[in-house]
Amino acid sequence: RDLQAHWVANVSEDVSAAVCTIRNVYSPNVLVSRLLMLAGADPNYTTDLLGNAPALCIFAYEGSTEMVALLLEFGASVKTTNSQGSTALVLAATRGHMHVVTQLVAAGAPLGTTDTAGRCALVHAARNGHLNVVSYLISSDWMVEDPKREVDLSEALQQALVAAASQGHVEIVEYLLDLAEVSPDGYDSLSGETALTVSANNGCTNVCSTLITRGANISATNKKNMSALLLAVKEGHWAVTERLLQLHAPVEQADDSGKSPLMVAAAEGHVAIIELLLDKGADINRQDNDGLSALSWACTRGRVQAVQCLIDRGADINQADLSGKIPLDHAASQGNPTAVQILLERGAMLEHVDINGLRPLDRAIMCRHLPVVQSFLKRGAKLGPNTWAMA
């Protein structure tokens, strides 16, 4: 064997690089790799693959237990990382390679080491739906050696819950909620989300139902003071919105700017959700901190179908905000001629003047929306001093 290793060393330009060739990564030859290691290959050789990952990280990511065992036998460090800060343990856990995970933990890999995004192996396993890896990592001896690069188990568990919830992994969510250290309303220390807010934001209806059944507060907000209902509405997740309303989510719970779910739906143009919220008793003429109603928000964003829906459902077409602007002013500034036409046909005040003395025509001219200007002139809008000044 020594003679073979000597021969391999003489005929190889770089024995370390030879271990990590593409062919050997995807179809490892353990016997030849051992000869290369005996010939002096570096077990911590840094490749140009997977973000300049060391050899151990590469083979851990691919789930090659024999190659991982070989590298560990020759002294590979379990603490080396790629350019994203991912250790071999993180990469193996991400891919769900249970046997490699057990090898690395047995070799002393730190369980709480995080990558550049602040996520440890447990969180990656939970996010990718690997319950067996999650269970194993939780049951292992968790010790923090470097507080700057590692998280403790309690923090990792809360992050894992949010990560699993974000991807709709109900089974892992259920498993984690059975642990005393995990709170259904706890925050992910990095994202500021709770399991319920992130699952609502991502459209995971079953996870939302599970969390609320297991005691999550349906009115709880994330660190940005956004509730699960607001997030589901914003992203257009009708099924999640319906489920949350069935479970008695407050239909008027607003964000820091005073925007209710109905206003958010109007601003995003989600007509089906607008109908759902109105059917559940949402106040169609409620105003936010600046006095804008749902109709004003729909006009501001140019959501024509939302404008039509809200008017058909009885929205006040001439409701003024704190600056004196009515929905027609917002539509004129936004520049959608169809929205302007709908408002005018339904009785919007053509000559309304806001607190700055400006009319809808003045705003259309100021924003250079020629089709809207033409609509106003065809309707008989007057040309006052401000109009000429704007022009």
Side-chain angles (χ1 to χ4, degrees), residues 201-251:
N201 185 75
N202 292 354
C204 304
T205 308
N206 291 337
V207 173
C208 290
S209 299
T210 298
L211 287 164
I212 295 168
T213 301
R214 296 294 296 270
N217 180 1
I218 200 169
S219 302
T221 62
N222 61 16
K223 289 292 188 179
K224 295 180 181 178
N225 202 29
M226 294 284 285
S227 68
L229 181 60
L230 280 168
L231 291 165
V233 167
K234 181 177 176 61
E235 296 301 321
H237 299 309
W238 189 92
V240 176
T241 302
E242 181 189 39
R243 186 66 182 134
L244 291 171
L245 291 172
Q246 289 172 346
L247 294 170
H248 310 296
V251 73

Side-chain angles (χ1 to χ4, degrees), residues 19 21-30 33 59 62 64 67:
V19 174
T21 58
I22 294 293
R23 181 171 182 174
N24 202 46
V25 167
Y26 292 110
S27 182
N29 188 320
V30 181
S33 298
F59 289 107
E62 292 301 322
S64 178
M67 286 300 298

Side-chain angles (χ1 to χ4, degrees), residues 262 266 271 274-275 278 284-285 293-296 298-299 303-319 327-328 331 338-348:
L262 181 62
V271 178
I274 291 174
E275 295 276 11
L278 289 174
I284 198 169
N285 291 318
S293 64
L295 181 58
S296 294
C299 291
R303 311 296 189 184
V304 176
Q305 290 182 318
V307 169
Q308 185 71 61
C309 173
L310 289 164
I311 294 175
D312 290 342
R313 293 295 294 262
D316 186 348
I317 201 167
N318 291 311
Q319 186 176 23
L328 184 60
T338 304
V340 169
Q341 191 66 28
I342 292 171
L343 291 164
L344 291 173
E345 289 174 354
R346 299 299 288 269

Side-chain angles (χ1 to χ4, degrees), residues 47-120:
T47 72
D48 57 0
L49 306 172
L50 206 65
N52 299 124
L56 184 63
C57 290
I58 293 293
F59 289 107
Y61 183 78
E62 292 301 322
S64 178
T65 55
E66 291 180 308
M67 286 300 298
V68 168
L70 178 64
L71 290 167
L72 291 173
E73 179 186 337
F74 279 85
S77 172
V78 292
K79 296 183 179 181
T80 54
T81 68
N82 66 4
S83 58
Q84 285 81 45
S86 297
T87 62
L89 180 60
V90 167
L91 294 169
T94 299
R95 296 291 296 273
H97 298 313
M98 181 65 182
H99 293 300
V100 175
V101 169
T102 57
Q103 283 179 297
L104 293 168
V105 172
L111 300 176
T113 301
T114 60
D115 58 17
T116 53
R119 308 297 190 198
C120 67

